Amino acid sequence: MKLFRFGSPIIAALMVLVAGANQAAVAADATPAASPIYGVTIPEGYREWQMIAPAAEAAPLDELRVVLGNPVAIKAIKDATLPFPDGTILVKLAYKKKHSDDFEPATVPGAPTTVQIMVKDSRKYASTGGWGFGRFINGMPADLAQHQTCFACHAARVKDRDYVFTRYAP
């Protein structure tokens, strides 16, 4: 009986330590990975956002893409508001093109390639037109070199549209 009384607090303490370690591990796994340079993460619930526009990319990418927007983005793009207001978030989902197994002439999404994100915060990202960028492959940020090209490409082609390529598809 003494062993049981002596052992109980030790077992209880071990159980608390194990539970705490498990919670810490779960919390660490739940922390979203941030993009280099900008610190952008994949927004929670983005798959429930409205579609702004679909797109298809020719070779060499050969992708199907769709751009989604949070409610701030949807309102701004529908109202043609430029510059986009702070809080705007655009998410581009990209997939390899493939022919449908059910209907050969149809093209359907194949394997996912990237999730690309733009976040508008005019103070935080003042040096890049107010936008922070994130590019993710399999849920993890792409390398630094890929993030370094984001703003340069947008600035060279769509600076007059607040650095946004996407146009609303009604």
Side-chain angles (χ1 to χ4, degrees):
M1 194 67 153
K2 284 185 181 183
L3 181 60
F4 181 76
R5 285 186 194 157
F6 180 72
S8 289
I10 293 173
I11 291 170
L14 286 173
M15 290 174 66
V16 168
L17 286 172
V18 169
N22 284 340
Q23 286 176 342
V26 168
D29 289 344
T31 302
S35 68
I37 305 173
Y38 304 99
V40 169
T41 59
I42 297 174
E44 190 171 320
Y46 74 94
R47 293 297 300 254
E48 304 303 317
W49 293 354
Q50 281 185 271
M51 181 189 75
I52 295 172
E57 298 291 326
L61 296 176
D62 204 31
E63 292 179 333
L64 293 176
R65 296 176 171 193
V66 63
V67 177
L68 310 174
N70 70 348
V72 176
I74 297 298
K75 179 171 179 13
I77 208 154
K78 282 183 176 179
D79 295 346
T81 302
L82 290 179
F84 284 85
D86 283 357
T88 297
I89 304 176
L90 304 171
V91 176
K92 182 185 342 179
L93 306 176
Y95 304 87
K96 278 295 186 189
K97 286 185 202 174
K98 77 174 225 174
H99 290 287
S100 170
D101 293 336
D102 301 318
F103 185 62
E104 184 60 29
T107 302
V108 298
T113 59
T114 60
V115 174
Q116 298 174 43
I117 301 161
M118 291 178 67
V119 176
K120 184 70 180 257
D121 184 328
S122 56
R123 289 187 189 156
K124 186 174 183 179
Y125 305 117
S127 66
T128 51
W131 291 98
F133 299 86
R135 184 183 188 111
F136 299 84
I137 301 168
N138 295 322
M140 298 303 298
D143 64 33
L144 181 63
Q146 290 179 345
H147 282 89
Q148 289 172 327
T149 63
C150 293
F151 180 66
C153 184
H154 287 250
R157 292 172 174 85
V158 287
K159 183 177 181 179
D160 62 329
R161 292 205 318 264
D162 195 20
Y163 306 97
V164 174
F165 283 99
T166 303
R167 296 178 189 233
Y168 182 65

